[in-house]
Amino acid sequence: MIRSSERVHRRRSRWRAVVVSVVLAVCSSLLVGGVATAADDYTQTVTSLNATQAQIAFTPTTAAVYVDVHYIVAGQGQQNFRMDLSGGTWRKTVSNLSSGSVIDYWFTYEKSGPQYDTPHFSYTHGTTTPSVATPTFSPGGGSYATAQTVTISTATAGSTIRYTVDGSTPTASSTLYSGPISVPSTRTVNAIGIKSGLTNSAVASATYTIGTTPISCTTQPDVPNFGPNTRIFDPSMSSTAIQAQLDADFNAQKDTLTHQMGTGRIAHLFKPGAYSVHDDVGYYTSVAGLGQNPGDVVINGAITVDAFNESDKGVALQNFWRSAENMAVNPIGGSNRWAVAQAAPFRRMDIRGNLQLYPASYGFASGGYIADSKVSGQTASISQQQWYTRDSNLGSWAGGVWNMVFSGTPGAPPTTFPNPPETTLATTPVSRDVPYLYLDGAGKYRVFTPSLRTNASGASWANGSTPGTSIPMSQFYVVKAGDTASTINSALASGCNLFFTPGIYHLNQTLNVTRANTVVLGIGYPTLIPDNGVNAMQIADVDGVRIKGLLFDAGTTNSAALLTVGPAGSSANHAANPTTLQDVFFRIGGSIAGHATTSLVVNSQHTIIDHIWAWRADHGNAGTWGWTQATADTGVIVNGNNVLATGLFVEHYQKTQVIWNGQGGKTIFFQNEMPYDVPNQASWNRPSGRNGYAAYKVGDNVTSHEAWGLGSYNFFNVNPSVNAYNAFEAPNNANVRFHSLCTVSLNYQGTITHVINDTGAVTPPGTVPVNVVSYP
């Protein structure tokens, strides 16, 4: 959005918040003779038996000597029972329920001597049809030298399981599971549980890579050194000491004028337990819990982003590059504030109250991203101009300016675009939540890689632990100060995954990711800068690579691309195990005078682009931004087929911002600004002679494409006479479809003649959107 508040004062819109009373289930991760358990240590479910009874079930992955259940019905007294064991599952029936009765429940169980308490769970009786428990696999997905015999089970008694082995979504007519199945070669097994009178379970998925040589990387201990910029907090530390460190880090990273393009990089990591602290989150700061699930780390306080500085003038338009992940928050005063702009993900968060996405001043903020989270109260966007929420659970939603988009989010408002400007998909077609660092029961660090989900709805941990696979830190190379492109490539060649700690890394050679299922995970906004015109990173056309949490900053010598997924002409089918790019950000200029022809090129099929911000700077350090100082043609080029983008932010590139040449592509949420600094019309016309470049172009030969919730805005402040003929360009084909599009001329600095092709009116004065509900 318009980044400098002194450039223009835009119309302020406010919505009246609806006060919602919520029943708040208080969660716990108490330790009794041990530590909080790993996600794959058990499964649990509640099944409605009839109008007045429900059965709580608990299935440990290995035998437990006993399991106790503790529960509270409708806020009344706590009940404690030793559960009954049958067929490996412990069960307890709760009686005297009525429709709407809420059960708050948790478990204590013994494993190999120690006993453990689980987080709390919540069940509401009789208001919806209960679901069959999601199936589990033994052994779990992963890389194996030989064929595997796989057992599939579900905790719901009396249910049947249907499965597929080709990566497709199972249905009631898929193969009936009747006993262990053989997996002789690499494939993905998907399964659902079915029982008459219950809703089918969520799809469970496990990918087995057979015949691979075990990873040889053993470069790190399982309790590694994460470098000087990573703070690790323990609940045994005093709140005063923790708060002092949080405040010191914030003061070093808070200022928009001096720190926004600075070199500081910080991560705050909280071990499982409860903390009474308030973390104000500044630039290039990641805040994350080290539990297996969000409820393992509880912040009794706040995780806050606001318009902190005098120079912000009450707006949050430049609150970039900060994140919060994998924690529960009991917010001070009942509301947590997260007033951000781009590149500020909010993932795997459990907000036990309200979430405010706008600054305290009600000034503008310019868009953000929530995924795999729960908010028990109201999420209020109010002055946020656009926002995307994926696979989450909301108590309610209020507000929105131009373009608010939801997929797989119970509690989201229905589609009412353009008035209010809200677009909602019931599910997300394909998604896979981010890999994340956690501490296991033995106090060792591991990285958890969540399973692929199809037609997902709600947080992956909403009804128990996130399904997936755990990787020990001994299979990672921990990248920190002093590492070079050569040392990093050597680690990749030896079979290592990569864990980037907070810092800035200059590259004199391309980082080559060639092994299937490689994880590249960063915390604290590690920044990769190619120094001599090389591509910063290239990924081979292989299955299941996961890239998360990196900032690619273009170097002063032009790179053809900063990140490439698959070589040109890639044709392998990755539907069962796609590459995922998550919280991956690109910057051209602003910090240094950067140059890159394209930021991201995707050639591999089925790639998932899940929250990126590709940004050619419109402000920054002196001499680092401007039409000739920071050059870049295109933000994203997609050549692969069946690529999905969920949360695509691309801004200010000098030609077409996004070019989509692959067949079967999908985009859910697109936010764009055309370049501000076009010097004159003649320098910014398409080869055809038509005015300007489209923000989002679907290739002329594409016959299938679909997109939802797209906004493109112009602010030609250098030369307000500049015009773009249209913001979206696509072939006229019944299978190339767009839903909920808009254009806006910000403060009427230049115009866009049409929204898509020749449809939609010219942008009017007054910062008023032009909307197209659907096309064609």
Side-chain angles (χ1 to χ4, degrees):
M1 294 296 92
I2 300 174
R3 308 298 179 195
S4 298
S5 57
E6 56 272 358
R7 287 180 181 169
V8 60
H9 295 286
R10 276 180 287 165
R11 197 167 47 131
R12 174 175 297 173
S13 300
R14 301 188 185 184
W15 281 257
R16 181 172 299 169
V18 178
V19 179
V20 179
S21 297
V22 296
V23 178
L24 184 63
V26 179
C27 296
S28 170
S29 57
L30 298 178
L31 172 67
V32 182
V35 298
T37 61
D40 54 3
D41 198 40
Y42 62 86
T43 58
Q44 63 82 29
T45 186
V46 181
T47 302
S48 174
L49 301 179
N50 52 50
T52 61
Q53 291 183 311
Q55 186 177 84
I56 304 174
F58 181 97
T59 306
T61 55
T62 57
V65 173
Y66 65 85
V67 178
D68 292 339
V69 63
H70 320 281
Y71 63 85
I72 301 170
V73 178
Q76 301 303 310
Q78 178 176 318
Q79 303 294 311
N80 307 286
F81 291 95
R82 181 64 47 89
M83 303 181 78
D84 298 321
L85 177 63
S86 175
T89 296
W90 299 76
R91 296 181 174 87
K92 170 62 181 175
T93 298
V94 181
S95 302
N96 300 318
L97 301 174
S98 58
S99 180
S101 294
V102 176
I103 305 177
D104 174 28
Y105 65 99
W106 64 104
F107 306 91
T108 301
Y109 64 105
E110 184 277 348
K111 294 296 291 292
S112 303
Q115 57 183 345
Y116 302 87
D117 278 10
T118 73
H120 286 223
F121 306 98
S122 182
Y123 163 79
T124 303
H125 188 66
T127 56
T128 59
T129 304
S131 300
V132 177
T134 303
T136 58
F137 302 92
S138 181
S143 297
Y144 299 93
T146 60
Q148 295 294 299
T149 299
V150 176
T151 300
I152 313 175
S153 60
T154 174
T156 302
S159 60
T160 59
I161 295 173
R162 299 280 179 167
Y163 70 95
T164 62
V165 295
D166 60 358
S168 62
T169 301
T171 67
S173 59
S174 297
T175 303
L176 176 66
Y177 176 79
S178 59
I181 61 175
S182 176
V183 181
S185 59
T186 297
R187 62 193 58 182
T188 293
V189 182
N190 290 333
I192 57 171
I194 300 173
K195 184 178 181 180
S196 177
L198 302 182
T199 302
N200 292 352
S201 76
V203 176
S205 180
T207 298
Y208 298 87
T209 305
I210 306 299
T212 59
T213 302
I215 296 173
S216 61
C217 176
T218 55
T219 61
Q220 299 292 335
D222 285 326
V223 183
N225 175 5
F226 290 113
N229 299 324
T230 301
R231 325 294 191 212
I232 299 177
F233 302 114
D234 187 286
S236 65
M237 299 171 62
S238 73
S239 296
T240 301
I242 295 174
Q243 190 65 57
Q245 182 66 68
L246 298 179
D247 291 346
D249 289 340
F250 175 60
N251 289 329
Q253 298 295 113
K254 68 173 288 190
D255 190 75
T256 302
L257 297 180
T258 58
H259 301 139
Q260 179 182 177
M261 300 298 174
T263 59
R265 304 289 188 273
I266 293 173
H268 293 159
L269 305 181
F270 292 84
K271 291 183 178 181
Y275 301 82
S276 296
V277 294
H278 183 152
D279 197 346
D280 288 324
V281 186
Y283 285 102
Y284 309 107
T285 302
S286 296
V287 183
L290 290 172
Q292 181 81 43
N293 291 296
D296 295 338
V297 174
V298 179
I299 304 296
N300 295 307
I303 307 294
T304 300
V305 179
D306 203 346
F308 293 119
N309 305 287
E310 178 65 26
S311 63
D312 297 334
K313 298 184 184 298
V315 301
L317 296 173
Q318 297 184 42
N319 283 354
F320 315 138
W321 303 308
R322 58 200 84 195
S323 65
E325 183 176 313
N326 202 33
M327 296 175 289
V329 180
N330 291 314
I332 298 171
S335 297
N336 193 83
R337 186 175 303 281
W338 188 256
V340 297
Q342 288 74 27
F346 198 77
R347 291 186 180 270
R348 294 180 60 80
M349 294 294 288
D350 182 4
I351 303 300
R352 301 169 180 176
N354 303 316
L355 180 63
Q356 298 171 337
L357 303 177
Y358 56 94
S361 62
Y362 288 85
F364 278 104
S366 65
Y369 174 96
I370 293 172
D372 203 25
S373 294
K374 291 174 65 176
V375 182
S376 66
Q378 182 189 78
T379 303
S381 64
I382 309 302
S383 57
Q384 277 286 354
Q385 292 155 332
Q386 59 271 313
W387 196 277
Y388 176 51
T389 305
R390 175 182 70 75
D391 298 358
S392 296
N393 301 79
L394 305 180
S396 63
W397 177 273
V401 178
W402 296 324
N403 190 28
M404 322 309 286
V405 181
F406 311 82
S407 68
T409 302
T415 296
T416 52
F417 185 89
N419 187 27
E422 295 165 346
T423 304
T424 300
L425 286 73
T427 62
T428 304
V430 184
S431 56
R432 181 159 58 192
D433 296 303
V434 291
Y436 59 92
L437 185 70
Y438 77 100
L439 274 170
D440 68 11
K444 295 180 178 180
Y445 288 91
R446 302 176 71 89
V447 169
F448 194 78
T449 55
S451 299
L452 193 71
R453 306 175 75 190
T454 56
N455 297 316
S457 178
S460 65
W461 48 273
N463 296 308
S465 299
T466 299
T469 303
S470 182
I471 306 172
M473 284 304 297
S474 59
Q475 294 179 8
F476 281 80
Y477 181 80
V478 177
V479 183
K480 48 186 181 292
D483 274 304
T484 65
S486 178
T487 63
I488 297 168
N489 271 329
S490 294
L492 288 167
S494 71
C496 290
N497 303 295
L498 299 179
F499 189 97
F500 278 89
T501 63
I504 297 175
Y505 302 92
H506 286 265
L507 308 174
N508 62 0
Q509 58 183 255
T510 300
L511 302 184
N512 290 299
V513 180
T514 61
R515 180 178 59 84
N517 301 308
T518 298
V519 177
V520 180
L521 173 59
I523 59 170
Y525 288 81
T527 303
L528 278 56
I529 304 175
D531 284 334
N532 53 359
V534 299
N535 290 5
M537 181 181 289
Q538 295 177 165
I539 302 170
D541 190 30
V542 296
D543 273 358
V545 174
R546 303 181 190 219
I547 311 293
K548 190 262 182 179
L550 301 180
L551 171 59
F552 291 88
D553 203 355
T556 56
T557 301
N558 189 73
S559 297
L562 296 178
L563 174 61
T564 301
V565 181
S570 294
S571 59
N573 186 311
H574 302 294
N577 189 16
T579 286
T580 49
L581 311 177
Q582 300 178 287
D583 303 342
V584 174
F585 309 122
F586 304 89
R587 182 169 63 191
I588 312 292
S591 175
I592 57 177
H595 305 273
T597 304
T598 307
S599 289
L600 171 64
V601 179
V602 177
N603 295 314
S604 289
Q605 297 191 51
H606 302 99
T607 300
I608 299 174
I609 304 168
D610 180 42
H611 188 222
I612 74 163
W613 184 38
W615 182 61
R616 178 180 162 268
D618 61 280
H619 66 275
N621 295 332
T624 67
W625 60 282
W627 194 251
T628 58
Q629 290 89 342
T631 60
D633 286 354
T634 301
V636 178
I637 298 177
V638 177
N639 297 317
N641 294 337
N642 302 304
V643 171
L644 170 66
T646 51
L648 187 60
F649 300 73
V650 184
E651 297 191 292
H652 307 312
Y653 287 80
Q654 293 173 289
K655 293 184 179 178
T656 306
Q657 313 278 303
V658 173
I659 301 173
W660 204 297
N661 296 318
Q663 302 288 348
K666 291 183 172 67
T667 294
I668 305 173
F669 183 86
F670 173 68
Q671 185 258 311
N672 165 261
E673 284 186 347
M674 295 178 175
Y676 291 173
D677 51 351
V678 180
N680 52 65
Q681 191 68 60
S683 64
W684 197 59
N685 285 337
R686 303 174 209 187
S688 65
R690 179 167 280 177
N691 282 357
Y693 285 87
Y696 186 108
K697 174 179 171 60
V698 179
D700 296 340
N701 296 321
V702 172
T703 57
S704 59
H705 186 90
E706 193 160 13
W708 297 261
L710 305 97
S712 179
Y713 320 114
N714 74 277
F715 182 68
F716 302 128
N717 66 318
V718 169
N719 188 338
S721 68
V722 169
N723 165 264
Y725 183 79
N726 51 28
F728 302 95
E729 182 180 354
N732 286 307
N733 185 300
N735 290 319
V736 177
R737 301 188 294 270
F738 289 78
H739 314 272
S740 303
L741 308 91
C742 71
T743 57
V744 180
S745 177
L746 305 174
N747 206 40
Y748 206 56
Q749 299 294 294
T751 56
I752 304 172
T753 303
H754 298 294
V755 177
I756 180 167
N757 293 348
D758 298 323
T759 298
V762 64
T763 50
T767 313
V768 175
V770 178
N771 301 299
V772 172
V773 174
S774 63
Y775 182 90

